[in-house]
Amino acid sequence: MTIDIITLLPELLTSPFQHSIMQRAQQKGHLEIRTHQLRDWGIGKSRQVDDYQYGGGAGMVIMAEPLSKCIEELKSKTTYDEIIFLTPDGERHNQGLANRLSLNKNLILICGHYKGIDQRIRDHYVTLEISIGDYVLSGGELAAAVLVDSIGRLLPGVLNDETSALFDSFQDGILAPPVYTRPAEILGRAVPPVLLSGHDKKIQEWRQEKSYESTKQRRPDLLDS
Ligand code: 6GU
């Protein structure tokens, strides 16, 4: 999969993808992340990218022209499955959406700033608008990093048996069970004996039960759907 990210702050999008699973995904060729500095398509000598909003009001708006030029240039070289705008008023991100997006080949992510982007870009180009939760971030970059991580780890070949997504929280609609490692006892607390029993069927049953208990207690809303 290739993901083209349009941003005014490409520096915010370097480190998140240089480590661990995201790094491996790229090294193995499963994922290519390309960031594009929107200012490179800015207008005039000052490379202007934002302007006051019509109708008045505080806050700058990212202009349509630089975004349009950038998107058109990308579209002239690649066919995109989705052009996604990261915005607090978008569809709420979740595991189901990550699963769906992981089936795509080429994506554009647009990171907004200030008051947002000119509505005409949303109307003309954007095919999907995503929010990562009900709170406001200073810009779309951190949301884009979250989105890319959640998608990238699902690409075929990225995870191995040890890091498999199959048992992640949310992957089957419920939370993950508790996990333990050595020693068998510490802080006066012992590992649940069933995990030391070697009885695989009982262990799986125990994990299922703990997952269900935890979900019922912490996120009953997940059990409703
Ligand atoms: Cl995608 N962008 C911004 N700026 N804030 C957010 C968000 C996105 N998702 C939640 N809050």
Side-chain angles (χ1 to χ4, degrees), residues 18-219:
Q18 282 172 356
H19 309 276
S20 179
I21 291 168
M22 288 304 101
Q23 181 187 46
R24 219 182 46 232
Q26 292 171 92
Q27 283 171 349
K28 285 171 120 183
H30 301 302
L31 177 63
E32 186 178 352
I33 299 162
R34 306 184 283 223
T35 59
H36 306 276
Q37 169 56 270
L38 180 62
R39 205 164 284 285
D40 294 346
W41 288 267
I43 298 167
K45 239 193 149 111
S46 65
R47 300 247 163 251
Q48 184 182 357
V49 292
D50 59 342
D51 207 340
Y52 297 100
Q53 55 177 316
Y54 279 120
M60 306 295 274
V61 173
I62 298 184
M63 303 162 85
E65 189 177 329
L67 273 171
S68 171
K69 282 182 176 155
C70 176
I71 294 167
E72 289 294 345
E73 189 172 322
L74 294 176
K75 282 179 71 176
S76 72
K77 296 175 217 159
T78 307
T79 303
Y80 292 95
D81 300 293
E82 303 278 5
I83 299 182
I84 300 169
F85 177 45
L86 282 311
T87 175
D89 57 9
E91 171 182 346
R92 181 99 63 83
H93 189 46
N94 61 26
Q95 192 62 42
L97 187 50
N99 289 345
R100 197 186 107 205
L101 290 172
S102 73
L103 302 175
N104 289 318
K105 198 160 155 26
N106 303 300
L107 301 175
I108 288 180
L109 307 186
I110 303 170
C111 301
H113 261 272
Y114 319 117
K115 278 281 154 201
I117 66 175
D118 191 298
Q119 180 63 33
R120 290 165 291 189
I121 293 296
R122 298 170 75 163
D123 296 341
H124 196 77
Y125 293 109
V126 171
T127 59
L128 187 59
E129 303 192 324
I130 299 176
S131 160
I132 64 162
D134 293 341
Y135 41 82
V136 177
L137 301 170
S138 309
E141 285 77 10
L142 297 183
V146 167
L147 186 65
V148 169
D149 189 298
S150 70
I151 296 169
R153 62 201 308 285
L154 297 174
L155 300 175
V158 171
L159 298 183
N160 51 37
D161 277 354
E162 268 117 82
T163 53
S164 168
L166 281 179
F167 305 106
D168 285 348
S169 277
F170 299 111
Q171 199 49 268
D172 46 12
I174 56 173
L175 303 180
V179 292
Y180 299 85
T181 186
R182 292 188 294 175
E185 192 184 329
I186 191 169
L187 304 171
R189 295 162 191 270
V191 171
V194 62
L195 296 179
L196 309 176
S197 70
H199 196 309
D200 194 57
K201 187 160 172 282
K202 279 195 177 144
I203 292 171
Q204 298 318 327
E205 282 167 5
W206 181 87
R207 285 178 172 156
Q208 278 273 266
E209 190 184 307
K210 287 289 167 187
S211 279
Y212 179 75
E213 266 175 27
S214 162
T215 309
K216 197 169 155 194
Q217 191 180 41
R218 295 161 183 239
R219 294 292 307 276

